Short mmCIF file of all heavy atoms in Angstrom, two decimals:
data_model
loop_
_atom_site.label_atom_id
_atom_site.label_comp_id
_atom_site.label_asym_id
_atom_site.label_seq_id
_atom_site.Cartn_x
_atom_site.Cartn_y
_atom_site.Cartn_z
N ALA F 1 -17.33 -72.48 50.86
CA ALA F 1 -17.51 -72.92 49.46
C ALA F 1 -18.36 -71.99 48.69
O ALA F 1 -18.11 -71.71 47.49
CB ALA F 1 -18.14 -74.35 49.49
N TYR F 2 -19.41 -71.41 49.37
CA TYR F 2 -20.31 -70.51 48.64
C TYR F 2 -19.60 -69.23 48.20
O TYR F 2 -19.66 -68.81 47.07
CB TYR F 2 -21.46 -70.11 49.64
CG TYR F 2 -22.32 -68.99 49.11
CD1 TYR F 2 -23.33 -69.24 48.16
CD2 TYR F 2 -22.14 -67.65 49.52
CE1 TYR F 2 -24.10 -68.22 47.65
CE2 TYR F 2 -22.92 -66.66 49.04
CZ TYR F 2 -23.92 -66.91 48.13
OH TYR F 2 -24.73 -65.91 47.63
N PHE F 3 -18.81 -68.64 49.17
CA PHE F 3 -18.10 -67.41 48.78
C PHE F 3 -16.97 -67.68 47.76
O PHE F 3 -16.68 -66.83 46.89
CB PHE F 3 -17.54 -66.73 50.03
CG PHE F 3 -18.58 -65.95 50.74
CD1 PHE F 3 -19.14 -66.45 51.91
CD2 PHE F 3 -19.07 -64.77 50.25
CE1 PHE F 3 -20.13 -65.76 52.62
CE2 PHE F 3 -20.05 -64.06 50.95
CZ PHE F 3 -20.61 -64.55 52.12
N PHE F 4 -16.38 -68.82 47.76
CA PHE F 4 -15.33 -69.18 46.75
C PHE F 4 -15.89 -69.21 45.38
O PHE F 4 -15.35 -68.67 44.42
CB PHE F 4 -14.65 -70.48 47.14
CG PHE F 4 -13.63 -70.93 46.15
CD1 PHE F 4 -12.40 -70.38 46.15
CD2 PHE F 4 -13.97 -71.89 45.15
CE1 PHE F 4 -11.43 -70.75 45.20
CE2 PHE F 4 -13.01 -72.23 44.22
CZ PHE F 4 -11.77 -71.72 44.27
N THR F 5 -17.05 -69.88 45.19
CA THR F 5 -17.62 -70.00 43.87
C THR F 5 -18.15 -68.68 43.37
O THR F 5 -18.24 -68.41 42.18
CB THR F 5 -18.77 -71.02 43.90
OG1 THR F 5 -19.71 -70.63 44.84
CG2 THR F 5 -18.25 -72.41 44.19
N LYS F 6 -18.59 -67.73 44.25
CA LYS F 6 -19.08 -66.44 43.82
C LYS F 6 -17.97 -65.58 43.29
O LYS F 6 -18.20 -64.69 42.45
CB LYS F 6 -19.76 -65.74 44.97
CG LYS F 6 -21.11 -66.33 45.37
CD LYS F 6 -22.19 -66.12 44.36
CE LYS F 6 -22.73 -64.69 44.40
NZ LYS F 6 -23.82 -64.51 43.48
N THR F 7 -16.74 -65.74 43.80
CA THR F 7 -15.60 -64.80 43.42
C THR F 7 -14.70 -65.41 42.41
O THR F 7 -13.93 -64.71 41.84
CB THR F 7 -14.88 -64.41 44.69
OG1 THR F 7 -14.34 -65.56 45.33
CG2 THR F 7 -15.80 -63.61 45.62
N ALA F 8 -14.72 -66.74 42.28
CA ALA F 8 -13.78 -67.38 41.35
C ALA F 8 -14.15 -67.05 39.91
O ALA F 8 -15.31 -66.94 39.58
CB ALA F 8 -13.81 -68.89 41.53
N PRO F 9 -13.13 -66.85 38.99
CA PRO F 9 -13.40 -66.52 37.60
C PRO F 9 -14.03 -67.74 36.88
O PRO F 9 -13.78 -68.87 37.24
CB PRO F 9 -12.05 -66.25 37.00
CG PRO F 9 -11.07 -67.01 37.92
CD PRO F 9 -11.66 -66.90 39.27
N ALA F 10 -14.93 -67.40 36.00
CA ALA F 10 -15.62 -68.50 35.19
C ALA F 10 -14.56 -69.17 34.32
O ALA F 10 -13.69 -68.49 33.79
CB ALA F 10 -16.73 -67.91 34.35
N PRO F 11 -14.70 -70.45 34.10
CA PRO F 11 -13.74 -71.13 33.25
C PRO F 11 -13.85 -70.69 31.78
O PRO F 11 -14.91 -70.28 31.33
CB PRO F 11 -14.09 -72.57 33.36
CG PRO F 11 -15.54 -72.58 33.74
CD PRO F 11 -15.69 -71.36 34.58
N VAL F 12 -12.75 -70.68 31.02
CA VAL F 12 -12.74 -70.37 29.60
C VAL F 12 -12.99 -71.68 28.86
O VAL F 12 -12.23 -72.64 29.00
CB VAL F 12 -11.44 -69.75 29.17
CG1 VAL F 12 -11.41 -69.53 27.66
CG2 VAL F 12 -11.21 -68.44 29.90
N THR F 13 -14.06 -71.76 28.11
CA THR F 13 -14.40 -72.96 27.38
C THR F 13 -13.70 -73.01 26.03
O THR F 13 -13.16 -72.02 25.54
CB THR F 13 -15.93 -73.12 27.16
OG1 THR F 13 -16.35 -71.98 26.42
CG2 THR F 13 -16.63 -73.08 28.49
N SER F 14 -13.70 -74.19 25.37
CA SER F 14 -13.06 -74.32 24.10
C SER F 14 -13.60 -73.33 23.08
O SER F 14 -14.85 -73.26 22.96
CB SER F 14 -13.29 -75.78 23.58
OG SER F 14 -12.76 -75.97 22.32
N GLY F 15 -12.77 -72.70 22.31
CA GLY F 15 -13.24 -71.79 21.26
C GLY F 15 -13.37 -70.36 21.75
O GLY F 15 -13.67 -69.45 20.96
N GLU F 16 -13.26 -70.06 23.04
CA GLU F 16 -13.39 -68.73 23.56
C GLU F 16 -12.05 -68.26 24.05
O GLU F 16 -11.12 -69.02 24.33
CB GLU F 16 -14.41 -68.70 24.71
CG GLU F 16 -15.78 -69.04 24.37
CD GLU F 16 -16.72 -69.04 25.56
OE1 GLU F 16 -16.22 -69.06 26.67
OE2 GLU F 16 -17.92 -68.97 25.33
N THR F 17 -11.96 -66.89 24.18
CA THR F 17 -10.76 -66.30 24.81
C THR F 17 -11.23 -65.43 25.97
O THR F 17 -12.41 -65.15 26.07
CB THR F 17 -9.98 -65.43 23.79
OG1 THR F 17 -10.78 -64.31 23.46
CG2 THR F 17 -9.62 -66.22 22.52
N ALA F 18 -10.27 -65.05 26.78
CA ALA F 18 -10.64 -64.16 27.91
C ALA F 18 -11.04 -62.82 27.45
O ALA F 18 -11.67 -62.06 28.20
CB ALA F 18 -9.44 -64.11 28.84
N SER F 19 -10.74 -62.44 26.22
CA SER F 19 -11.09 -61.10 25.68
C SER F 19 -12.57 -61.05 25.45
O SER F 19 -13.19 -62.02 25.12
CB SER F 19 -10.33 -60.85 24.34
OG SER F 19 -10.81 -59.64 23.76
N SER F 20 -13.18 -59.84 25.61
CA SER F 20 -14.61 -59.65 25.36
C SER F 20 -14.93 -59.44 23.94
O SER F 20 -16.08 -59.38 23.57
CB SER F 20 -15.10 -58.48 26.20
OG SER F 20 -14.44 -57.27 25.83
N THR F 21 -13.91 -59.27 23.04
CA THR F 21 -14.19 -59.02 21.63
C THR F 21 -13.68 -60.21 20.82
O THR F 21 -12.66 -60.76 21.06
CB THR F 21 -13.45 -57.73 21.13
OG1 THR F 21 -12.05 -57.84 21.34
CG2 THR F 21 -13.99 -56.55 21.85
N VAL F 22 -14.48 -60.56 19.80
CA VAL F 22 -14.09 -61.66 18.95
C VAL F 22 -13.82 -61.08 17.57
O VAL F 22 -14.65 -60.35 16.98
CB VAL F 22 -15.26 -62.69 18.83
CG1 VAL F 22 -14.85 -63.80 17.88
CG2 VAL F 22 -15.55 -63.25 20.19
N PRO F 23 -12.64 -61.27 16.99
CA PRO F 23 -12.38 -60.67 15.69
C PRO F 23 -13.27 -61.20 14.56
O PRO F 23 -13.58 -62.39 14.56
CB PRO F 23 -10.88 -61.11 15.43
CG PRO F 23 -10.68 -62.31 16.30
CD PRO F 23 -11.58 -62.09 17.50
N VAL F 24 -13.69 -60.30 13.69
CA VAL F 24 -14.55 -60.62 12.58
C VAL F 24 -13.70 -60.68 11.31
O VAL F 24 -12.94 -59.75 11.03
CB VAL F 24 -15.67 -59.56 12.37
CG1 VAL F 24 -16.55 -59.94 11.20
CG2 VAL F 24 -16.52 -59.49 13.64
N PRO F 25 -13.77 -61.77 10.57
CA PRO F 25 -12.93 -61.92 9.35
C PRO F 25 -13.30 -60.78 8.35
O PRO F 25 -14.46 -60.39 8.20
CB PRO F 25 -13.37 -63.28 8.75
CG PRO F 25 -13.93 -64.01 9.90
CD PRO F 25 -14.58 -62.99 10.80
N GLU F 26 -12.28 -60.26 7.69
CA GLU F 26 -12.52 -59.22 6.69
C GLU F 26 -13.10 -59.85 5.43
O GLU F 26 -12.81 -60.99 5.11
CB GLU F 26 -11.19 -58.52 6.30
CG GLU F 26 -10.62 -57.73 7.47
CD GLU F 26 -9.39 -56.96 7.02
OE1 GLU F 26 -8.97 -57.10 5.87
OE2 GLU F 26 -8.79 -56.26 7.88
N ALA F 27 -13.94 -59.04 4.71
CA ALA F 27 -14.55 -59.51 3.48
C ALA F 27 -13.45 -59.68 2.45
O ALA F 27 -12.47 -58.97 2.39
CB ALA F 27 -15.61 -58.55 2.97
N THR F 28 -13.62 -60.71 1.57
CA THR F 28 -12.67 -60.88 0.52
C THR F 28 -12.74 -59.69 -0.46
O THR F 28 -13.82 -59.28 -0.91
CB THR F 28 -13.04 -62.20 -0.28
OG1 THR F 28 -13.05 -63.26 0.68
CG2 THR F 28 -12.02 -62.46 -1.36
N GLN F 29 -11.60 -59.17 -0.85
CA GLN F 29 -11.56 -58.03 -1.71
C GLN F 29 -12.20 -58.29 -3.04
O GLN F 29 -11.86 -59.34 -3.67
CB GLN F 29 -10.09 -57.54 -1.91
CG GLN F 29 -9.96 -56.21 -2.70
CD GLN F 29 -8.56 -55.79 -2.74
OE1 GLN F 29 -7.67 -56.45 -2.28
NE2 GLN F 29 -8.34 -54.66 -3.41
N GLY F 30 -13.03 -57.40 -3.53
CA GLY F 30 -13.66 -57.59 -4.84
C GLY F 30 -14.85 -58.48 -4.85
O GLY F 30 -15.48 -58.65 -5.89
N THR F 31 -15.32 -58.93 -3.68
CA THR F 31 -16.51 -59.73 -3.60
C THR F 31 -17.66 -58.98 -2.97
O THR F 31 -17.50 -58.35 -1.99
CB THR F 31 -16.23 -61.02 -2.72
OG1 THR F 31 -15.12 -61.71 -3.26
CG2 THR F 31 -17.46 -61.88 -2.64
N ALA F 32 -18.82 -59.04 -3.63
CA ALA F 32 -20.00 -58.34 -3.12
C ALA F 32 -20.37 -58.89 -1.74
O ALA F 32 -20.38 -60.11 -1.57
CB ALA F 32 -21.15 -58.44 -4.13
N GLN F 33 -20.69 -58.03 -0.82
CA GLN F 33 -21.12 -58.43 0.51
C GLN F 33 -22.65 -58.29 0.51
O GLN F 33 -23.18 -57.26 0.21
CB GLN F 33 -20.49 -57.56 1.53
CG GLN F 33 -18.98 -57.50 1.52
CD GLN F 33 -18.45 -56.45 2.42
OE1 GLN F 33 -18.76 -56.37 3.58
NE2 GLN F 33 -17.58 -55.61 1.88
N SER F 34 -23.38 -59.37 0.81
CA SER F 34 -24.83 -59.38 0.67
C SER F 34 -25.48 -59.90 1.92
O SER F 34 -24.94 -60.82 2.57
CB SER F 34 -25.22 -60.17 -0.53
OG SER F 34 -26.67 -60.28 -0.62
#
């Protein structure tokens, strides 16, 4: 049981993806970014 839990992949929780990068929304054109 110990070795199984050390090597098994961590579960993906709600709102996450398996990718390590999360896309950032682009700023609305013509709007000042502050």
Side-chain angles (χ1 to χ4, degrees):
Y2 171 80
F3 282 104
F4 176 80
T5 58
K6 288 290 283 184
T7 58
V12 177
T13 60
S14 176
E16 295 179 343
T17 67
S19 171
S20 60
T21 59
V22 179
V24 178
E26 292 184 1
T28 303
Q29 185 175 3
T31 302
Q33 304 169 52
S34 176

